[in-house]
Amino acid sequence: MIPFDFEYDRPGTVGEALTVFRQLDAEQKNPMFFGGGTEIISMARMGNVKTGAVVDLKAIPECRVFEYDKDRLLIGSALTLSDLVEAKRFPLLDHTAGRVADHTMQCKITFGGNLASTIIYRETVLPLLLADAVVTVATQGGLRDYKITQIFRERLQLPRGEFIVRASIEKRWLSAPYIHVKKTKNEKVDYPLLTVACLKADDKIRMAFSGLLPYPFRDLQWENLMNDKSLSFPERAEQISALAAPHLLNNLDGSAEFRKFVLNNTLIKVLQTLKGV
Amino acid sequence: MFRIKEKSILHLNVNGEDREVVARPSDILLDTLRNQLALTGAKPGCENGDCGACTVIVDGWPIKSCLMLTAEAVGKKITTVEGLKNAPVQKAFIEKFAFQCGYCTSGFLMACHALAQKHPNPPDYVIDEWLQSNICRCTSYEEIGEAIRVVLSQKQ
Ligand SMILES: Cc1cc2nc3c(=O)[nH]c(=O)nc-3n(C[C@H](O)[C@H](O)[C@H](O)COP(=O)(O)OP(=O)(O)OC[C@H]3O[C@@H](n4cnc5c(N)ncnc54)[C@H](O)[C@@H]3O)c2cc1C
Ligand code: FES
Ligand code: FES
């Protein structure tokens, strides 16, 4: 049971959502956009989130698109992770979404909710960082497109009252060679000790991580080392692990030392699988 | 726009019937099913999305009813274990002794029933992925796996 009351609004258009959010804000209801609600409900129950109103985005058609537009795939923010997995359109995203929480949770968690999550992992952003995704945001001035790196630095950075409508990816990334590895402490279904997602293009490996630091990221210095042909695979892995070591998360899921060990081995596996460069 | 400002009468479609409930916008579906409709098949366990004891089927998909608002379920078709009515998966659970204390059973039945409807012929890894959403403290996993495989083999 959630120990407090809030109002529930389910707008049918982007405009209605923006307007109702602004009104609720003016009424000091501290409204929240609501995707799958898994995080809002679980945190509200524990008293970690307090809101006077939720604005459910799932009935807005623009947030539910999953279609091609010329050379891009459009992915609506209100699609569930199982919508992504079942459709099998962007294999790296399918694999990433298919390892977030468990299958039944994937039927409820939305793509937009995972990107905007306050929980540190936000694993579905990894393919977007690699494929130079463009994110369409609903703003008071209309829909605006941003490069993913403009609005996602460690976490989603949107002004209050704006929300993600969809992301889009150039078609060429959909068939690029990829690998996704998620390592957990013990059970298969768990938060990541480390998740790495990689795409290979123009003979170069791109890679992004979750679980290593308190936010997901892509690091170009690490990528340069990963693609340095003058080094052997173990040398590349070792140099990246050494760079990472001082910053690695050290918590109940795994010590920093253990994460470094897992990172090193995982990078070698990635290089072998993608046949180096 | 659909809006609920306070405790009000909501219309839910549960097990093929239109039902009226009185719910706050912040009420979760699990509590409404149990306390207002006396459908106690969905069980409270962790109430945090971890155990799967509260699983129901919403528009064909298994959903943890502890993480769904009652308000969200308006306009959707909800099936609880009470709505299965001698489904093949129930028979298979009995034949394979796929339960001990039974607390997790309704959640597993709903996940298995949804799987059989959505993917009548799934590869093994898909069966494993779906079943990993539920926890059985009595560790009947082996028998539960056998039961769902019996149902799926009958579908082929
Ligand atoms: C049991 C369990 C296991 C989990 N395991 C993992 C895991 O392995 N990996 C992982 O990455 N995460 C994991 N999570 C976290 C989970 O991914 C988040 O709870 C989930 O992604 C939130 O998605 P949602 O659609 O339910 O969002 P909601 O709860 O609806 O919202 C989450 C946040 O996003 C905001 N929001 C929602 N939609 C939008 C939008 N379109 N635009 C802007 N803001 C928006 C909301 O205002 C809120 O602040 C787990 C959670 C649970 C409960
Ligand atoms: S009670 Fe819902 S998942 Fe445990
Ligand atoms: S039979 Fe007891 S918890 Fe599963």
Side-chain angles (χ1 to χ4, degrees):
Chain A
M1 182 178 129
I2 296 175
F4 58 90
D5 288 323
F6 54 70
E7 170 178 338
Y8 175 86
D9 291 279
R10 193 196 297 154
T13 65
V14 170
E16 268 181 7
L18 290 167
T19 307
V20 75
F21 191 98
R22 211 176 45 217
Q23 283 166 355
L24 292 164
D25 225 9
E27 291 168 30
Q28 313 227 306
K29 291 210 164 149
N30 187 28
M32 294 182 77
F33 290 117
F34 186 100
T38 61
E39 186 171 311
I40 294 177
I41 295 172
S42 52
M43 288 191 165
R45 195 180 61 83
M46 303 287 286
N48 294 329
V49 154
K50 189 94 168 67
T51 178
V54 298
V55 179
D56 189 344
L57 302 173
K58 292 194 291 290
I60 300 173
E62 289 90 332
C63 295
R64 300 206 51 88
V65 290
F66 202 7
E67 62 197 31
Y68 297 101
D69 179 28
K70 299 190 195 102
D71 67 336
R72 304 189 77 84
L73 174 65
L74 310 184
I75 310 166
S77 63
L79 296 173
T80 63
L81 300 188
S82 17
D83 289 333
L84 306 182
V85 174
E86 297 275 327
K88 297 187 176 29
R89 294 198 179 141
F90 179 16
L92 178 59
L93 183 59
D94 308 343
H95 271 87
T96 311
R99 288 296 313 274
V100 170
D102 62 48
H103 178 271
T104 303
M105 292 290 291
Q106 290 158 19
C107 298
K108 190 81 183 0
I109 292 174
T110 61
F111 178 44
N114 189 249
L115 295 175
S117 172
T118 57
I119 299 172
I120 62 173
Y121 303 106
R122 307 169 198 122
E123 291 183 70
T124 55
V125 80
L126 304 181
L128 305 195
L129 292 172
L130 299 177
D132 302 325
V134 169
V135 179
T136 303
V137 175
T139 74
Q140 294 297 342
L143 295 187
R144 277 193 63 182
D145 286 343
Y146 295 94
K147 287 182 188 158
I148 179 76
T149 46
Q150 286 177 294
I151 56 157
F152 195 99
R153 287 178 301 278
E154 301 184 3
R155 59 178 298 170
L156 188 69
Q157 318 255 355
L158 288 185
R160 190 161 170 73
E162 299 190 353
F163 62 92
I164 304 177
V165 173
R166 59 170 185 257
S168 74
I169 309 277
E170 254 184 89
K171 264 188 190 167
R172 69 187 176 106
W173 292 110
L174 308 184
S175 53
Y178 72 95
I179 181 171
H180 171 270
V181 183
K182 178 166 178 172
K183 299 279 186 191
T184 54
K185 181 181 176 187
N186 196 356
E187 300 292 325
K188 188 173 175 205
V189 174
D190 201 351
Y191 290 124
L193 198 55
L194 94 78
T195 294
V196 57
C198 303
L199 277 175
K200 190 172 172 185
D202 307 326
D203 236 15
K204 283 209 159 34
I205 294 172
R206 296 176 166 211
M207 55 184 188
F209 297 87
S210 167
L212 286 181
L213 308 186
Y215 47 83
F217 65 96
R218 176 179 172 199
D219 184 305
L220 297 183
Q221 193 188 359
W222 292 21
E223 268 178 26
N224 287 339
L225 279 170
M226 195 72 168
N227 290 302
D228 186 342
K229 287 184 184 157
S230 69
L231 301 171
S232 68
F233 289 177
E235 282 170 339
R236 297 182 211 183
E238 202 160 302
Q239 291 197 18
I240 294 169
S241 307
L243 272 182
H247 311 287
L248 293 174
L249 276 176
N250 190 13
N251 57 21
L252 276 180
D253 288 330
S255 64
E257 195 56 31
F258 184 53
R259 279 193 163 84
K260 183 179 173 211
F261 170 77
V262 176
L263 172 64
N264 192 78
N265 291 347
T266 307
L267 291 174
I268 294 175
K269 178 180 170 185
V270 166
L271 283 161
Q272 287 165 343
T273 309
L274 293 177
K275 306 271 185 310
V277 284
Chain B
M1 181 161 69
F2 179 66
R3 164 176 281 180
I4 313 170
K5 279 175 120 36
E6 60 211 352
K7 196 170 190 180
S8 26
I9 295 175
L10 301 180
H11 297 268
L12 297 181
N13 185 288
V14 187
N15 299 331
E17 290 175 23
D18 290 327
R19 306 287 301 266
E20 268 187 6
V21 297
V22 179
R24 299 179 308 148
S26 60
D27 278 341
I28 58 171
L29 182 61
L30 173 65
D31 292 340
T32 302
L33 291 172
R34 292 177 60 84
N35 302 338
Q36 296 248 339
L37 298 177
L39 295 170
T40 53
K43 302 285 184 230
C46 63
E47 296 189 56
N48 195 45
D50 293 313
C51 74
C54 65
T55 305
V56 299
I57 297 176
V58 178
D59 284 351
W61 294 100
I63 294 287
K64 294 181 180 177
S65 60
C66 68
L67 290 184
M68 182 169 212
L69 299 176
T70 307
E72 277 184 276
V74 172
K76 301 193 177 298
K77 289 195 183 317
I78 305 157
T79 309
T80 68
V81 74
E82 290 86 349
L84 287 192
K85 308 232 167 65
N86 299 323
V89 70
Q90 290 171 299
K91 199 159 163 267
F93 265 58
I94 294 167
E95 277 170 8
K96 293 289 171 189
F97 297 103
F99 47 82
Q100 293 175 59
C101 79
Y103 200 79
C104 68
T105 307
S106 42
F108 267 107
L109 284 170
M110 301 318 283
C112 290
H113 185 73
L115 171 61
Q117 302 294 312
K118 286 276 175 202
H119 292 287
N121 191 10
D124 261 359
Y125 81 90
V126 170
I127 302 175
D128 292 343
E129 271 173 6
W130 282 57
L131 291 186
Q132 270 161 2
S133 306
N134 298 58
I135 292 173
C136 173
R137 287 299 302 269
C138 305
T139 66
S140 301
Y141 297 110
E142 197 64 32
E143 294 80 2
I144 293 168
E146 282 174 26
I148 180 66
R149 282 176 173 84
V150 166
V151 175
L152 294 169
S153 66
Q154 287 163 356
K155 287 215 157 219
Q156 280 158 36

